[in-house]
Amino acid sequence: MKQILTYITILMISYANAQCWDDISLANSHAIAIKGETLWGWGLNVYGQLGDGTNINRSLPIQIGTDTDWLSIDAGYNNLSSAIKTDGSLWAWGSNQYGQLGDGTTTNVNFPKKIGTDSNWKSVCAGTRVTVALKTDGTLWSWGDNFSGTLGDGTVTQRYFPGQIGSENDWVAIYGGDHTMIAIKQDGSLWGWGINAHGELGDGTFVSKLIPTLIASSHDYSMISFGRQYTLTLKNDGTIWGWGTNNVGQIGDGTTTNQSAPVQIGNDND
């Protein structure tokens, strides 16, 4: 009986501790999390992507600073981290070789650094060497490397400060991949830009795009998840679709053929 009670106690403690974590974001080699509006990180820290003021790798979660007003986070696709505070301000740290932190420099930063003075940021995500963010007014912004048009501004020019993508103000979500970005508009339509060598934009071509390009006429996408050079999506009707590189069957459509347009995975709709 004593052993059973001890086991139950351990389970209860583990469950209670697990409930303390509010959000988590994973990159290739590090993780960032929010717990009670405090910020934590662990994993690789060579570029300062943990934000603890050092470049020491951490095998256990370590608190990042002492601020208690963190709202949302993104660990990035590779070696950088971004976060938004409850006041709508944007913060970034880690690798900055291509200006992907948005602070006007190419200097790595190992602690959270406020980016600009705007206080209406809604969400942020990072691809490879590029960051894209959404404001509360529905506008889309990007900065960093612009390899194959990853910034979506119609150029291939690198940018060190946030710059607006087009003039539309009906964007609701943004997702970052490997030199590829995908966003959703209020009407549920899906748009992509950046590198497209393996069909990862899903627009039916293998041609890279410098501006947001409509992926499909269907307007019922609700969730996006990126792998390396491929994409999986969930529709409102409960079906799953995928496209992009498929050399080892990662799309899940029963083939190993790259797909340049969305293909349904199975027949399930739940």
Side-chain angles (χ1 to χ4, degrees):
M1 178 63 71
K2 183 177 179 180
Q3 289 179 330
I4 293 175
L5 289 175
T6 300
Y7 179 66
I8 292 174
T9 300
I10 292 173
L11 286 179
M12 291 176 65
I13 292 172
S14 298
Y15 178 80
N17 286 339
Q19 297 309 296
C20 293
W21 298 100
D22 300 302
D23 195 10
I24 186 170
S25 181
L26 305 179
N28 286 347
S29 304
H30 79 284
I32 302 294
I34 293 178
K35 180 169 63 172
E37 295 189 346
T38 60
L39 203 58
W40 298 72
W42 60 95
L44 187 71
N45 198 24
V46 174
Y47 301 92
Q49 58 263 53
L50 296 189
D52 66 345
T54 77
N55 294 85
I56 301 172
N57 298 341
R58 306 288 183 179
S59 59
L60 290 172
I62 183 170
Q63 187 170 348
I64 301 171
T66 58
D67 291 350
T68 58
D69 56 350
W70 298 102
L71 177 64
S72 63
I73 50 175
D74 184 73
Y77 198 84
N78 195 27
N79 300 326
L80 72 145
S81 302
S82 302
I84 296 174
K85 286 193 172 185
T86 55
D87 65 0
S89 60
L90 180 64
W91 300 70
W93 58 98
S95 178
N96 196 27
Q97 181 181 359
Y98 300 90
Q100 59 264 51
L101 296 188
D103 66 346
T105 77
T106 55
T107 304
N108 295 346
V109 177
N110 61 12
F111 58 89
K113 183 176 183 179
K114 188 176 182 180
I115 307 303
T117 59
D118 292 348
S119 58
N120 61 338
W121 297 102
K122 178 182 178 181
S123 61
V124 59
C125 79
T128 299
R129 308 195 300 243
V130 60
T131 302
V132 179
L134 178 67
K135 286 190 174 183
T136 55
D137 62 3
T139 58
L140 209 55
W141 300 71
S142 63
W143 55 96
D145 193 17
N146 203 10
F147 176 74
S148 294
T150 321
L151 294 186
D153 65 350
T155 77
V156 289
T157 304
Q158 196 165 309
R159 188 164 55 222
Y160 306 103
F161 293 102
Q164 188 173 347
I165 300 175
S167 58
E168 291 92 345
N169 61 356
D170 56 349
W171 301 101
V172 296
I174 178 70
Y175 303 87
D178 186 21
H179 298 293
T180 303
M181 309 300 292
I182 289 180
I184 299 178
K185 286 193 172 185
Q186 287 176 354
D187 63 3
S189 59
L190 209 60
W191 300 70
W193 62 95
I195 198 167
N196 196 27
H198 302 86
E200 50 263 62
L201 290 184
D203 69 337
T205 77
F206 294 94
V207 180
S208 299
K209 301 297 187 298
L210 303 184
I211 60 173
T213 302
L214 185 64
I215 291 176
S217 57
S218 178
H219 287 192
D220 58 351
Y221 291 96
S222 61
M223 187 180 298
I224 312 292
S225 184
F226 270 107
R228 184 171 180 83
Q229 299 170 341
Y230 72 101
T231 308
L232 298 181
T233 65
L234 177 67
K235 284 191 176 183
N236 292 324
D237 63 4
T239 59
I240 295 178
W241 298 68
W243 59 87
T245 190
N246 196 29
N247 60 309
V248 291
Q250 53 266 60
I251 291 178
D253 66 342
T255 78
T256 54
T257 302
N258 292 353
Q259 303 289 351
S260 64
V263 293
Q264 187 172 349
I265 300 172
N267 298 311
D268 293 342
N269 61 357
D270 57 350

